[in-house]
Amino acid sequence: MMSSRAGSVLLRRAGSRLFTAAAVSPAAASRPLLAGGNNVVQAVMVRLMSTSSPAAVSEATKDEAAKASKEGGDKKAVVINSYWGIEQNNKLVRDDGTEWKWTCFRPWETYTADTSIDLTRHHELKTLMDKIAYWTVKSLRFPTDIFFQRRYGCRAMMLETVAAVPGMVGGMLLHLRSLRRFEQSGGWIRALLEEAENERMHLMTFMEVAKPRWYERALVITVQGVFFNAYFLGYLLSPKFAHRVVGYLEEEAIHSYTEYLKDVEAGKIENVPAPAIAIDYWRLPANATLKDVVTVVRADEAHHRDVNHFASDIHCQGMQLKQSPAPIGYH
């Protein structure tokens, strides 16, 4: 208590001397800096003014940014100066020379989907593991049919939030295994992470088509939390079972997208223009529609079906994934 009073008294006395410096005589003002004239007071005042609060600095930065924004017109690109020497390439262009506006993927990551793939291919139920995996997926389809019925836009959104999990989990666990055992993965880490990223891009596309309601977002959080942990444990216990489950899950995805296409073709769902992100990601024509988007997404799911059944077959033959080259870029 005594120290705080003493501090306040000292501050009042020092403040009165500092801020009454304007009353210094002309003679004192003419003294040199080291002689203790008015220049000393001015130097102190400059020092005090330079120690601005973070809020003041932030406001100044905002003013400068606003000014730069006005001068730059409609330009949205933000250039961040960094000590670390990381260069930002903001001048990416498409094949036709127009500006590339996406930061979530680059032009060299785009591709043309192979829609000629066999959509009817099915892994026959041969072992007890196959039957358990198949009926596990079928049991998950039942509540989905009840909840979404024929609202395929929202159904696709929910499907992709689940379908993007296995590749990330499998890639992560193979990555940790590679580190523990000092061994290569045969390219399977990259292949599975590619699958996860591809499924995530499906989600980003359907977010433009179907706007999820608040309770659907809540359902996504719940389902993702449960499925991630269940699949994580399942992959630890039996990778061949986990990949077989995903293979059958992708077969169900193909069926769902086929029904989606039927409703679009029948006019039950409006065949709206394709989202811009889909046109660039799959290199679709500028006049592409929702039908084109669903077609290429279904083809991707067919490729994921093949990859996961193939991975399960490798394990079923008593080998590890690293012993067979991964189908990188298969989709």
Side-chain angles (χ1 to χ4, degrees):
M1 186 70 181
M2 291 298 293
S3 60
S4 62
R5 288 182 178 178
S8 62
V9 171
L10 180 61
L11 182 60
R12 284 197 299 271
R13 291 182 178 179
S16 61
R17 292 184 180 182
L18 285 174
F19 293 100
T20 56
V24 179
S25 64
S30 63
R31 296 176 188 174
L33 179 63
L34 295 179
N38 192 29
N39 292 334
V40 175
V41 178
Q42 292 175 355
V44 172
M45 291 299 293
V46 169
R47 177 60 179 169
L48 287 173
M49 293 300 292
S50 66
T51 55
S52 304
S53 65
V57 174
S58 177
E59 289 299 325
T61 304
K62 290 180 180 178
D63 292 341
E64 291 177 1
K67 183 179 179 182
S69 177
K70 290 180 181 179
E71 293 175 352
D74 295 332
K75 293 181 180 180
K76 295 182 179 179
V78 178
V79 178
I80 301 174
N81 295 322
S82 174
Y83 166 79
W84 307 107
I86 298 176
E87 296 182 0
Q88 293 179 299
N89 189 354
N90 294 321
K91 296 182 179 180
L92 296 176
V93 295
R94 298 183 179 88
D95 293 337
D96 59 3
T98 58
E99 183 181 359
W100 182 264
K101 66 178 183 178
W102 308 107
T103 57
C104 54
F105 64 101
R106 298 292 189 261
W108 53 85
E109 296 173 331
T110 64
Y111 64 99
T112 301
D114 177 17
T115 56
S116 64
I117 189 171
D118 185 2
L119 300 173
T120 62
R121 194 177 299 159
H122 168 68
H123 184 273
E124 298 296 334
L125 307 181
K126 299 177 181 178
T127 65
L128 178 61
M129 182 200 71
D130 291 342
K131 295 177 182 179
I132 295 175
Y134 179 80
W135 289 109
T136 298
V137 173
K138 283 294 185 182
S139 65
L140 295 175
R141 181 187 177 89
F142 179 71
T144 306
D145 289 341
I146 295 177
F147 186 82
F148 291 105
Q149 297 181 359
R150 300 194 72 83
R151 293 186 296 120
Y152 286 108
C154 295
R155 186 191 190 104
M157 179 203 65
M158 172 61 72
L159 176 65
E160 298 303 343
T161 61
V162 172
V165 170
M168 181 60 66
V169 172
M172 176 187 68
L173 291 177
L174 287 180
H175 175 75
L176 295 176
R177 179 191 180 97
S178 175
L179 297 178
R180 289 195 310 270
R181 299 193 176 187
F182 308 97
E183 63 184 19
Q184 299 292 338
S185 69
W188 280 94
I189 296 174
R190 181 177 174 184
L192 293 178
L193 293 181
E194 277 186 354
E195 176 186 315
E197 174 63 12
N198 183 244
E199 298 283 12
R200 191 186 67 83
M201 289 303 298
H202 293 177
L203 175 62
M204 295 298 103
T205 297
F206 284 110
M207 285 290 292
E208 300 294 326
V209 176
K211 303 298 182 183
R213 302 179 178 91
W214 68 267
Y215 58 84
E216 291 171 335
R217 290 178 178 270
L219 182 62
V220 166
I221 296 173
T222 304
V223 171
Q224 187 184 79
V226 173
F227 184 75
F228 175 88
N229 288 284
Y231 190 81
F232 179 84
L233 293 175
Y235 203 98
L236 285 175
L237 295 174
S238 177
K240 63 182 177 182
F241 174 76
H243 281 294
R244 189 69 77 203
V245 166
V246 178
Y248 286 129
L249 184 65
E250 299 294 358
E251 290 184 16
E252 290 297 327
I254 295 169
H255 173 74
S256 294
Y257 283 119
T258 300
E259 293 297 313
Y260 196 171
L261 276 175
K262 288 180 180 179
D263 280 7
V264 172
E265 292 171 349
K268 297 178 181 179
I269 298 177
E270 184 181 0
N271 191 21
V272 297
I277 191 172
I279 292 175
D280 284 338
Y281 184 67
W282 283 285
R283 300 178 187 173
L284 297 173
N287 61 346
T289 62
L290 176 60
K291 179 181 176 181
D292 300 314
V293 173
V294 177
T295 300
V296 295
V297 170
R298 183 178 61 173
D300 286 349
E301 304 296 0
H303 287 86
H304 300 327
R305 170 204 62 193
D306 295 350
V307 170
N308 281 277
H309 279 315
F310 175 59
S312 183
D313 289 345
I314 294 173
H315 284 292
C316 288
Q317 295 174 24
M319 297 187 295
Q320 296 183 6
L321 292 182
K322 67 176 183 178
Q323 295 176 263
S324 178
I328 297 175
Y330 177 60
H331 64 273

Coordinates of all heavy atoms in Angstrom, one line a residue, residues 94 96 100-102 105 110-112 201 205 272-290 292-293 296:
R94 N -4.1 -20.1 -65.2 CA -4.7 -21.3 -65.8 C -4.0 -21.5 -67.2 O -3.2 -20.6 -67.6 CB -6.2 -21.1 -66.0 CG -7.0 -21.0 -64.7 CD -8.5 -20.9 -65.0 NE -9.2 -20.8 -63.8 CZ -9.6 -19.7 -63.2 NH1 -9.2 -18.5 -63.7 NH2 -10.3 -19.7 -62.1
D96 N -5.4 -21.1 -69.9 CA -5.8 -20.0 -70.9 C -5.2 -18.7 -70.5 O -5.6 -17.7 -71.2 CB -7.3 -20.0 -70.9 CG -7.9 -19.7 -69.6 OD1 -7.2 -19.5 -68.6 OD2 -9.2 -19.7 -69.5
W100 N -5.3 -17.5 -61.5 CA -5.7 -18.6 -60.7 C -6.1 -18.1 -59.3 O -5.3 -17.5 -58.7 CB -4.6 -19.6 -60.6 CG -4.9 -20.9 -59.8 CD1 -4.7 -21.1 -58.5 CD2 -5.6 -22.0 -60.3 NE1 -5.2 -22.3 -58.1 CE2 -5.7 -22.9 -59.2 CE3 -6.1 -22.4 -61.5 CZ2 -6.4 -24.2 -59.3 CZ3 -6.7 -23.6 -61.6 CH2 -6.8 -24.5 -60.5
K101 N -7.3 -18.3 -58.9 CA -7.8 -17.7 -57.7 C -7.8 -18.6 -56.4 O -8.2 -18.1 -55.3 CB -9.2 -17.1 -57.9 CG -10.3 -18.2 -58.1 CD -11.6 -17.5 -58.3 CE -12.8 -18.5 -58.4 NZ -14.1 -17.8 -58.5
W102 N -7.5 -19.9 -56.6 CA -7.6 -20.8 -55.4 C -6.3 -20.9 -54.7 O -5.2 -21.0 -55.3 CB -8.0 -22.2 -55.9 CG -9.2 -22.1 -56.8 CD1 -9.3 -22.3 -58.1 CD2 -10.6 -21.9 -56.3 NE1 -10.6 -22.2 -58.6 CE2 -11.4 -21.9 -57.5 CE3 -11.2 -21.6 -55.1 CZ2 -12.8 -21.7 -57.4 CZ3 -12.5 -21.4 -55.0 CH2 -13.3 -21.4 -56.2
F105 N -5.7 -25.4 -53.5 CA -5.0 -26.3 -54.5 C -4.4 -25.5 -55.6 O -4.8 -24.4 -55.9 CB -6.0 -27.4 -55.0 CG -7.1 -26.9 -55.8 CD1 -7.1 -27.0 -57.2 CD2 -8.2 -26.3 -55.2 CE1 -8.1 -26.6 -58.0 CE2 -9.3 -25.9 -56.0 CZ -9.3 -26.0 -57.3
T110 N -4.7 -30.3 -60.4 CA -6.0 -30.6 -61.0 C -5.8 -31.8 -62.0 O -4.7 -32.2 -62.3 CB -6.5 -29.4 -61.8 OG1 -5.5 -29.1 -62.8 CG2 -6.6 -28.2 -60.9
Y111 N -6.9 -32.4 -62.4 CA -6.9 -33.5 -63.3 C -8.2 -33.7 -64.0 O -9.2 -33.1 -63.6 CB -6.5 -34.8 -62.5 CG -7.5 -35.2 -61.5 CD1 -8.5 -36.2 -61.7 CD2 -7.6 -34.6 -60.2 CE1 -9.4 -36.6 -60.8 CE2 -8.5 -35.0 -59.3 CZ -9.4 -35.9 -59.6 OH -10.4 -36.3 -58.6
T112 N -8.2 -34.6 -64.9 CA -9.4 -35.0 -65.6 C -9.8 -36.3 -65.2 O -9.1 -37.3 -65.3 CB -9.2 -34.9 -67.2 OG1 -8.8 -33.6 -67.6 CG2 -10.5 -35.3 -67.9
M201 N -11.9 -32.5 -51.1 CA -12.3 -31.6 -52.2 C -13.7 -31.9 -52.6 O -14.5 -31.0 -53.1 CB -11.3 -31.8 -53.3 CG -10.0 -31.2 -53.1 SD -10.0 -29.4 -52.6 CE -10.7 -28.7 -54.1
T205 N -16.7 -29.1 -52.6 CA -17.6 -28.9 -53.8 C -19.1 -28.9 -53.4 O -19.8 -28.0 -53.8 CB -17.3 -29.9 -54.9 OG1 -16.0 -29.8 -55.3 CG2 -18.2 -29.8 -56.1
V272 N -28.2 -27.4 -61.7 CA -27.6 -26.1 -61.6 C -26.2 -26.0 -62.2 O -25.6 -27.1 -62.4 CB -27.6 -25.6 -60.1 CG1 -29.0 -25.5 -59.6 CG2 -26.7 -26.5 -59.3
P273 N -25.7 -24.8 -62.5 CA -24.3 -24.8 -63.0 C -23.3 -25.3 -62.0 O -23.5 -25.2 -60.8 CB -24.1 -23.3 -63.2 CG -25.5 -22.7 -63.5 CD -26.4 -23.5 -62.6
A274 N -22.2 -25.9 -62.4 CA -21.2 -26.5 -61.6 C -20.5 -25.4 -60.8 O -20.3 -24.3 -61.3 CB -20.2 -27.3 -62.4
P275 N -20.2 -25.6 -59.5 CA -19.4 -24.6 -58.8 C -18.1 -24.3 -59.4 O -17.5 -25.2 -60.1 CB -19.2 -25.3 -57.4 CG -20.3 -26.3 -57.3 CD -20.5 -26.7 -58.7
A276 N -17.6 -23.1 -59.3 CA -16.3 -22.7 -59.9 C -15.1 -23.6 -59.4 O -14.2 -24.0 -60.2 CB -16.0 -21.3 -59.6
I277 N -15.2 -24.0 -58.2 CA -14.1 -24.8 -57.6 C -14.1 -26.2 -58.3 O -13.0 -26.8 -58.5 CB -14.2 -25.0 -56.1 CG1 -13.0 -25.6 -55.5 CG2 -15.5 -25.8 -55.7 CD1 -12.9 -25.6 -54.0
A278 N -15.2 -26.7 -58.6 CA -15.3 -28.0 -59.3 C -14.8 -27.9 -60.8 O -14.1 -28.8 -61.3 CB -16.7 -28.5 -59.3
I279 N -15.1 -26.8 -61.4 CA -14.7 -26.6 -62.8 C -13.2 -26.6 -62.9 O -12.5 -27.2 -63.8 CB -15.3 -25.3 -63.4 CG1 -16.8 -25.5 -63.5 CG2 -14.6 -25.0 -64.7 CD1 -17.5 -24.2 -64.0
D280 N -12.5 -26.0 -61.9 CA -11.1 -25.9 -62.0 C -10.4 -27.2 -61.5 O -9.4 -27.6 -62.0 CB -10.6 -24.7 -61.1 CG -10.8 -23.4 -61.8 OD1 -10.9 -23.3 -63.0 OD2 -10.9 -22.3 -61.1
Y281 N -11.0 -27.8 -60.5 CA -10.3 -29.0 -59.9 C -10.4 -30.2 -60.8 O -9.4 -30.9 -61.0 CB -11.0 -29.3 -58.6 CG -10.4 -30.5 -57.8 CD1 -9.1 -30.4 -57.3 CD2 -11.1 -31.7 -57.7 CE1 -8.5 -31.4 -56.6 CE2 -10.5 -32.8 -57.0 CZ -9.2 -32.6 -56.4 OH -8.6 -33.7 -55.8
W282 N -11.5 -30.4 -61.5 CA -11.6 -31.5 -62.4 C -11.4 -31.1 -63.9 O -11.7 -31.9 -64.8 CB -13.0 -32.2 -62.3 CG -13.1 -33.1 -61.1 CD1 -12.5 -34.3 -60.9 CD2 -13.8 -32.8 -59.8 NE1 -12.9 -34.8 -59.6 CE2 -13.6 -33.9 -59.0 CE3 -14.5 -31.7 -59.4 CZ2 -14.2 -33.9 -57.7 CZ3 -15.1 -31.7 -58.1 CH2 -14.9 -32.8 -57.3
R283 N -11.0 -29.9 -64.1 CA -10.8 -29.4 -65.5 C -12.1 -29.5 -66.4 O -12.0 -30.0 -67.5 CB -9.6 -30.1 -66.1 CG -8.3 -29.9 -65.4 CD -7.2 -30.6 -66.0 NE -6.0 -30.6 -65.2 CZ -4.9 -31.2 -65.5 NH1 -4.8 -32.0 -66.6 NH2 -3.8 -31.1 -64.7
L284 N -13.2 -29.2 -65.8 CA -14.5 -29.3 -66.5 C -14.7 -28.1 -67.4 O -14.1 -27.1 -67.2 CB -15.6 -29.4 -65.5 CG -15.7 -30.6 -64.5 CD1 -16.8 -30.4 -63.5 CD2 -15.8 -31.9 -65.3
P285 N -15.5 -28.2 -68.4 CA -15.8 -27.1 -69.3 C -16.5 -26.0 -68.5 O -17.1 -26.2 -67.5 CB -16.7 -27.7 -70.4 CG -17.2 -28.9 -69.8 CD -16.2 -29.5 -68.9
A286 N -16.4 -24.8 -69.1 CA -17.0 -23.6 -68.4 C -18.5 -23.7 -68.2 O -19.1 -23.2 -67.3 CB -16.6 -22.3 -69.1
N287 N -19.2 -24.5 -69.1 CA -20.6 -24.6 -69.0 C -21.0 -25.9 -68.3 O -22.2 -26.4 -68.5 CB -21.2 -24.6 -70.4 CG -20.7 -25.7 -71.3 OD1 -19.7 -26.4 -71.0 ND2 -21.4 -25.9 -72.4
A288 N -20.1 -26.5 -67.5 CA -20.5 -27.7 -66.8 C -21.6 -27.5 -65.8 O -21.8 -26.4 -65.3 CB -19.2 -28.2 -66.1
T289 N -22.3 -28.6 -65.5 CA -23.5 -28.5 -64.6 C -23.3 -29.5 -63.4 O -22.3 -30.2 -63.4 CB -24.7 -28.9 -65.4 OG1 -24.6 -30.2 -65.9 CG2 -25.0 -27.9 -66.5
L290 N -24.3 -29.5 -62.6 CA -24.3 -30.4 -61.4 C -24.1 -31.9 -61.9 O -23.4 -32.7 -61.2 CB -25.5 -30.2 -60.6 CG -25.7 -31.2 -59.4 CD1 -24.6 -31.0 -58.4 CD2 -27.1 -30.9 -58.7
D292 N -22.5 -33.1 -64.4 CA -21.1 -33.3 -64.7 C -20.3 -33.5 -63.4 O -19.4 -34.4 -63.3 CB -20.5 -32.2 -65.5 CG -21.2 -32.0 -66.8 OD1 -21.4 -33.0 -67.5 OD2 -21.5 -30.8 -67.1
V293 N -20.6 -32.7 -62.4 CA -19.9 -32.8 -61.1 C -20.1 -34.2 -60.4 O -19.2 -34.9 -60.0 CB -20.3 -31.7 -60.2 CG1 -19.7 -31.9 -58.8 CG2 -19.9 -30.3 -60.7
V296 N -18.2 -37.0 -62.2 CA -16.7 -37.2 -61.9 C -16.5 -37.6 -60.5 O -15.5 -38.3 -60.2 CB -16.0 -35.9 -62.2 CG1 -16.0 -35.6 -63.7 CG2 -16.5 -34.7 -61.4

